[in-house]
mmCIF file of all heavy atoms in Angstrom:
data_model
loop_
_atom_site.group_PDB
_atom_site.id
_atom_site.type_symbol
_atom_site.label_atom_id
_atom_site.label_comp_id
_atom_site.label_asym_id
_atom_site.label_seq_id
_atom_site.Cartn_x
_atom_site.Cartn_y
_atom_site.Cartn_z
ATOM 1 N N ASN A 183 -0.251 -17.886 -0.154
ATOM 2 C CA ASN A 183 -0.163 -17.712 1.293
ATOM 3 C C ASN A 183 -1.444 -18.116 2.006
ATOM 4 O O ASN A 183 -1.439 -18.490 3.173
ATOM 5 C CB ASN A 183 0.176 -16.249 1.618
ATOM 6 C CG ASN A 183 0.669 -16.062 3.031
ATOM 7 O OD1 ASN A 183 1.625 -16.696 3.446
ATOM 8 N ND2 ASN A 183 -0.001 -15.202 3.785
ATOM 9 N N GLY A 184 -2.591 -18.021 1.296
ATOM 10 C CA GLY A 184 -3.868 -18.350 1.907
ATOM 11 C C GLY A 184 -4.336 -17.311 2.916
ATOM 12 O O GLY A 184 -5.128 -17.611 3.800
ATOM 13 N N ASN A 185 -3.855 -16.070 2.743
ATOM 14 C CA ASN A 185 -4.185 -15.014 3.707
ATOM 15 C C ASN A 185 -4.126 -13.652 2.999
ATOM 16 O O ASN A 185 -3.102 -12.978 3.064
ATOM 17 C CB ASN A 185 -3.211 -15.042 4.887
ATOM 18 C CG ASN A 185 -3.551 -14.004 5.939
ATOM 19 O OD1 ASN A 185 -4.709 -13.641 6.131
ATOM 20 N ND2 ASN A 185 -2.526 -13.513 6.628
ATOM 21 N N PRO A 186 -5.207 -13.258 2.315
ATOM 22 C CA PRO A 186 -5.161 -12.008 1.552
ATOM 23 C C PRO A 186 -4.959 -10.780 2.436
ATOM 24 O O PRO A 186 -5.438 -10.733 3.572
ATOM 25 C CB PRO A 186 -6.526 -11.962 0.854
ATOM 26 C CG PRO A 186 -7.395 -12.838 1.666
ATOM 27 C CD PRO A 186 -6.516 -13.913 2.227
ATOM 28 N N VAL A 187 -4.204 -9.816 1.900
ATOM 29 C CA VAL A 187 -3.860 -8.595 2.625
ATOM 30 C C VAL A 187 -4.407 -7.391 1.851
ATOM 31 O O VAL A 187 -4.326 -7.340 0.618
ATOM 32 C CB VAL A 187 -2.327 -8.466 2.761
ATOM 33 C CG1 VAL A 187 -1.923 -7.135 3.361
ATOM 34 C CG2 VAL A 187 -1.774 -9.633 3.578
ATOM 35 N N LYS A 188 -4.982 -6.441 2.560
ATOM 36 C CA LYS A 188 -5.452 -5.214 1.914
ATOM 37 C C LYS A 188 -4.259 -4.471 1.320
ATOM 38 O O LYS A 188 -3.205 -4.356 1.949
ATOM 39 C CB LYS A 188 -6.170 -4.320 2.920
ATOM 40 C CG LYS A 188 -7.493 -4.887 3.428
ATOM 41 C CD LYS A 188 -8.150 -3.949 4.431
ATOM 42 C CE LYS A 188 -9.466 -4.498 4.945
ATOM 43 N NZ LYS A 188 -10.086 -3.609 5.938
ATOM 44 N N LEU A 189 -4.448 -3.954 0.116
ATOM 45 C CA LEU A 189 -3.369 -3.249 -0.562
ATOM 46 C C LEU A 189 -2.863 -2.078 0.280
ATOM 47 O O LEU A 189 -1.647 -1.849 0.370
ATOM 48 C CB LEU A 189 -3.854 -2.739 -1.926
ATOM 49 C CG LEU A 189 -2.842 -1.927 -2.737
ATOM 50 C CD1 LEU A 189 -1.574 -2.727 -3.005
ATOM 51 C CD2 LEU A 189 -3.461 -1.449 -4.047
ATOM 52 N N MET A 190 -3.750 -1.355 0.941
ATOM 53 C CA MET A 190 -3.311 -0.207 1.741
ATOM 54 C C MET A 190 -2.485 -0.664 2.943
ATOM 55 O O MET A 190 -1.527 0.024 3.359
ATOM 56 C CB MET A 190 -4.515 0.619 2.200
ATOM 57 C CG MET A 190 -5.264 1.298 1.062
ATOM 58 S SD MET A 190 -4.193 2.280 -0.031
ATOM 59 C CE MET A 190 -3.609 3.526 1.122
ATOM 60 N N ASN A 191 -2.790 -1.836 3.501
ATOM 61 C CA ASN A 191 -1.970 -2.364 4.595
ATOM 62 C C ASN A 191 -0.588 -2.768 4.095
ATOM 63 O O ASN A 191 0.414 -2.608 4.794
ATOM 64 C CB ASN A 191 -2.655 -3.576 5.245
ATOM 65 C CG ASN A 191 -3.896 -3.170 6.030
ATOM 66 O OD1 ASN A 191 -4.125 -1.996 6.299
ATOM 67 N ND2 ASN A 191 -4.706 -4.154 6.384
ATOM 68 N N PHE A 192 -0.544 -3.295 2.883
ATOM 69 C CA PHE A 192 0.728 -3.658 2.260
ATOM 70 C C PHE A 192 1.586 -2.409 2.065
ATOM 71 O O PHE A 192 2.790 -2.394 2.361
ATOM 72 C CB PHE A 192 0.454 -4.354 0.926
ATOM 73 C CG PHE A 192 1.664 -4.947 0.273
ATOM 74 C CD1 PHE A 192 2.250 -6.104 0.762
ATOM 75 C CD2 PHE A 192 2.200 -4.373 -0.877
ATOM 76 C CE1 PHE A 192 3.358 -6.681 0.145
ATOM 77 C CE2 PHE A 192 3.302 -4.938 -1.510
ATOM 78 C CZ PHE A 192 3.880 -6.091 -0.985
ATOM 79 N N ILE A 193 0.950 -1.340 1.589
ATOM 80 C CA ILE A 193 1.668 -0.082 1.383
ATOM 81 C C ILE A 193 2.155 0.493 2.720
ATOM 82 O O ILE A 193 3.273 1.007 2.825
ATOM 83 C CB ILE A 193 0.772 0.936 0.641
ATOM 84 C CG1 ILE A 193 0.532 0.454 -0.800
ATOM 85 C CG2 ILE A 193 1.395 2.327 0.639
ATOM 86 C CD1 ILE A 193 -0.516 1.255 -1.555
ATOM 87 N N GLU A 194 1.330 0.368 3.746
ATOM 88 C CA GLU A 194 1.736 0.838 5.078
ATOM 89 C C GLU A 194 2.976 0.078 5.590
ATOM 90 O O GLU A 194 3.868 0.674 6.200
ATOM 91 C CB GLU A 194 0.586 0.683 6.056
ATOM 92 C CG GLU A 194 -0.538 1.687 5.852
ATOM 93 C CD GLU A 194 -1.777 1.360 6.680
ATOM 94 O OE1 GLU A 194 -1.703 0.412 7.507
ATOM 95 O OE2 GLU A 194 -2.807 2.027 6.498
ATOM 96 N N SER A 195 3.043 -1.214 5.329
ATOM 97 C CA SER A 195 4.221 -1.994 5.716
ATOM 98 C C SER A 195 5.451 -1.499 4.984
ATOM 99 O O SER A 195 6.546 -1.416 5.562
ATOM 100 C CB SER A 195 3.995 -3.486 5.403
ATOM 101 O OG SER A 195 2.978 -4.039 6.202
ATOM 102 N N LEU A 196 5.303 -1.160 3.707
ATOM 103 C CA LEU A 196 6.420 -0.640 2.930
ATOM 104 C C LEU A 196 6.846 0.734 3.439
ATOM 105 O O LEU A 196 8.052 1.009 3.593
ATOM 106 C CB LEU A 196 6.037 -0.565 1.458
ATOM 107 C CG LEU A 196 7.098 -0.007 0.508
ATOM 108 C CD1 LEU A 196 8.395 -0.805 0.586
ATOM 109 C CD2 LEU A 196 6.573 0.016 -0.929
ATOM 110 N N GLU A 197 5.878 1.599 3.725
ATOM 111 C CA GLU A 197 6.203 2.927 4.252
ATOM 112 C C GLU A 197 6.967 2.812 5.573
ATOM 113 O O GLU A 197 7.955 3.533 5.801
ATOM 114 C CB GLU A 197 4.920 3.729 4.469
ATOM 115 C CG GLU A 197 4.223 4.143 3.187
ATOM 116 C CD GLU A 197 2.864 4.770 3.447
ATOM 117 O OE1 GLU A 197 2.174 4.338 4.395
ATOM 118 O OE2 GLU A 197 2.489 5.690 2.690
ATOM 119 N N LYS A 198 6.545 1.905 6.430
ATOM 120 C CA LYS A 198 7.216 1.705 7.712
ATOM 121 C C LYS A 198 8.637 1.218 7.500
ATOM 122 O O LYS A 198 9.587 1.687 8.166
ATOM 123 C CB LYS A 198 6.429 0.704 8.552
ATOM 124 C CG LYS A 198 7.038 0.441 9.922
ATOM 125 C CD LYS A 198 6.181 -0.544 10.722
ATOM 126 C CE LYS A 198 6.817 -0.853 12.077
ATOM 127 N NZ LYS A 198 6.008 -1.842 12.848
ATOM 128 N N SER A 199 8.837 0.291 6.588
ATOM 129 C CA SER A 199 10.162 -0.258 6.328
ATOM 130 C C SER A 199 11.103 0.784 5.735
ATOM 131 O O SER A 199 12.284 0.842 6.072
ATOM 132 C CB SER A 199 10.053 -1.461 5.384
ATOM 133 O OG SER A 199 11.306 -2.093 5.223
ATOM 134 N N LEU A 200 10.552 1.636 4.845
ATOM 135 C CA LEU A 200 11.371 2.667 4.214
ATOM 136 C C LEU A 200 11.552 3.902 5.094
ATOM 137 O O LEU A 200 12.486 4.684 4.897
ATOM 138 C CB LEU A 200 10.731 3.094 2.886
ATOM 139 C CG LEU A 200 10.741 2.076 1.745
ATOM 140 C CD1 LEU A 200 9.888 2.587 0.586
ATOM 141 C CD2 LEU A 200 12.171 1.798 1.274
ATOM 142 N N GLY A 201 10.635 4.075 6.037
ATOM 143 C CA GLY A 201 10.666 5.285 6.860
ATOM 144 C C GLY A 201 10.214 6.509 6.089
ATOM 145 O O GLY A 201 10.601 7.630 6.402
ATOM 146 N N VAL A 202 9.374 6.286 5.079
ATOM 147 C CA VAL A 202 8.889 7.368 4.213
ATOM 148 C C VAL A 202 7.406 7.159 3.965
ATOM 149 O O VAL A 202 6.964 6.031 3.729
ATOM 150 C CB VAL A 202 9.624 7.390 2.858
ATOM 151 C CG1 VAL A 202 9.120 8.537 1.990
ATOM 152 C CG2 VAL A 202 11.138 7.480 3.050
ATOM 153 N N THR A 203 6.638 8.250 3.996
ATOM 154 C CA THR A 203 5.215 8.181 3.643
ATOM 155 C C THR A 203 5.060 8.377 2.144
ATOM 156 O O THR A 203 5.580 9.354 1.582
ATOM 157 C CB THR A 203 4.404 9.244 4.396
ATOM 158 O OG1 THR A 203 4.527 9.019 5.801
ATOM 159 C CG2 THR A 203 2.935 9.180 4.015
ATOM 160 N N ALA A 204 4.376 7.463 1.501
ATOM 161 C CA ALA A 204 4.227 7.514 0.047
ATOM 162 C C ALA A 204 3.255 8.613 -0.375
ATOM 163 O O ALA A 204 2.239 8.857 0.291
ATOM 164 C CB ALA A 204 3.735 6.173 -0.466
ATOM 165 N N LYS A 205 3.575 9.248 -1.482
ATOM 166 C CA LYS A 205 2.611 10.145 -2.129
ATOM 167 C C LYS A 205 1.764 9.303 -3.082
ATOM 168 O O LYS A 205 2.318 8.669 -3.989
ATOM 169 C CB LYS A 205 3.364 11.245 -2.910
ATOM 170 C CG LYS A 205 4.118 12.208 -2.011
ATOM 171 C CD LYS A 205 4.835 13.290 -2.798
ATOM 172 C CE LYS A 205 6.169 12.783 -3.302
ATOM 173 N NZ LYS A 205 6.984 13.882 -3.923
ATOM 174 N N LYS A 206 0.456 9.272 -2.821
ATOM 175 C CA LYS A 206 -0.402 8.303 -3.511
ATOM 176 C C LYS A 206 -1.274 8.976 -4.563
ATOM 177 O O LYS A 206 -1.899 10.010 -4.315
ATOM 178 C CB LYS A 206 -1.276 7.571 -2.485
ATOM 179 C CG LYS A 206 -0.476 6.864 -1.410
ATOM 180 C CD LYS A 206 -1.356 6.340 -0.296
ATOM 181 C CE LYS A 206 -0.531 5.765 0.848
ATOM 182 N NZ LYS A 206 0.191 6.813 1.623
ATOM 183 N N ASN A 207 -1.310 8.347 -5.728
ATOM 184 C CA ASN A 207 -2.179 8.780 -6.818
ATOM 185 C C ASN A 207 -3.270 7.724 -6.986
ATOM 186 O O ASN A 207 -3.049 6.665 -7.583
ATOM 187 C CB ASN A 207 -1.374 8.922 -8.112
ATOM 188 C CG ASN A 207 -2.231 9.309 -9.297
ATOM 189 O OD1 ASN A 207 -3.224 10.030 -9.153
ATOM 190 N ND2 ASN A 207 -1.880 8.811 -10.471
ATOM 191 N N PHE A 208 -4.451 7.981 -6.406
ATOM 192 C CA PHE A 208 -5.536 6.999 -6.449
ATOM 193 C C PHE A 208 -6.187 6.981 -7.823
ATOM 194 O O PHE A 208 -6.534 8.026 -8.372
ATOM 195 C CB PHE A 208 -6.553 7.296 -5.357
ATOM 196 C CG PHE A 208 -6.018 7.059 -3.971
ATOM 197 C CD1 PHE A 208 -5.557 8.110 -3.181
ATOM 198 C CD2 PHE A 208 -5.946 5.766 -3.464
ATOM 199 C CE1 PHE A 208 -5.049 7.876 -1.908
ATOM 200 C CE2 PHE A 208 -5.435 5.528 -2.191
ATOM 201 C CZ PHE A 208 -4.989 6.582 -1.410
ATOM 202 N N MET A 209 -6.335 5.752 -8.343
ATOM 203 C CA MET A 209 -6.822 5.591 -9.711
ATOM 204 C C MET A 209 -7.904 4.503 -9.757
ATOM 205 O O MET A 209 -8.028 3.695 -8.847
ATOM 206 C CB MET A 209 -5.658 5.199 -10.632
ATOM 207 C CG MET A 209 -4.540 6.227 -10.686
ATOM 208 S SD MET A 209 -3.176 5.689 -11.744
ATOM 209 C CE MET A 209 -3.963 5.729 -13.364
ATOM 210 N N PRO A 210 -8.694 4.464 -10.847
ATOM 211 C CA PRO A 210 -9.709 3.411 -10.991
ATOM 212 C C PRO A 210 -9.057 2.057 -11.292
ATOM 213 O O PRO A 210 -7.865 1.985 -11.603
ATOM 214 C CB PRO A 210 -10.561 3.894 -12.161
ATOM 215 C CG PRO A 210 -9.652 4.788 -12.951
ATOM 216 C CD PRO A 210 -8.751 5.456 -11.953
ATOM 217 N N MET A 211 -9.851 1.009 -11.228
ATOM 218 C CA MET A 211 -9.393 -0.338 -11.552
ATOM 219 C C MET A 211 -8.918 -0.381 -12.999
ATOM 220 O O MET A 211 -9.510 0.240 -13.883
ATOM 221 C CB MET A 211 -10.527 -1.346 -11.353
ATOM 222 C CG MET A 211 -10.129 -2.788 -11.594
ATOM 223 S SD MET A 211 -9.279 -3.525 -10.200
ATOM 224 C CE MET A 211 -10.678 -4.133 -9.248
ATOM 225 N N GLN A 212 -7.837 -1.117 -13.242
ATOM 226 C CA GLN A 212 -7.323 -1.281 -14.597
ATOM 227 C C GLN A 212 -7.978 -2.445 -15.308
ATOM 228 O O GLN A 212 -8.397 -3.427 -14.676
ATOM 229 C CB GLN A 212 -5.809 -1.518 -14.555
ATOM 230 C CG GLN A 212 -5.010 -0.310 -14.132
ATOM 231 C CD GLN A 212 -3.557 -0.484 -14.464
ATOM 232 O OE1 GLN A 212 -2.988 0.229 -15.284
ATOM 233 N NE2 GLN A 212 -2.926 -1.459 -13.844
#
């Protein structure tokens, strides 16, 4: 796409589309 998106913004788009706020388990880099 040539336009990187922050992961949290991506998750916010999904939450908006689903109409649900995600329960998030923050973890270290894999």
Side-chain angles (χ1 to χ4, degrees):
N183 196 55
N185 182 30
V187 173
K188 292 180 180 179
L189 178 59
M190 294 308 296
N191 290 347
F192 188 73
I193 292 171
E194 287 170 7
S195 294
L196 178 58
E197 290 172 325
K198 181 179 178 182
S199 186
L200 291 172
V202 181
T203 299
K205 293 181 277 188
K206 303 171 186 71
N207 178 33
F208 291 99
M209 300 178 68
M211 183 81 87
Q212 291 195 115

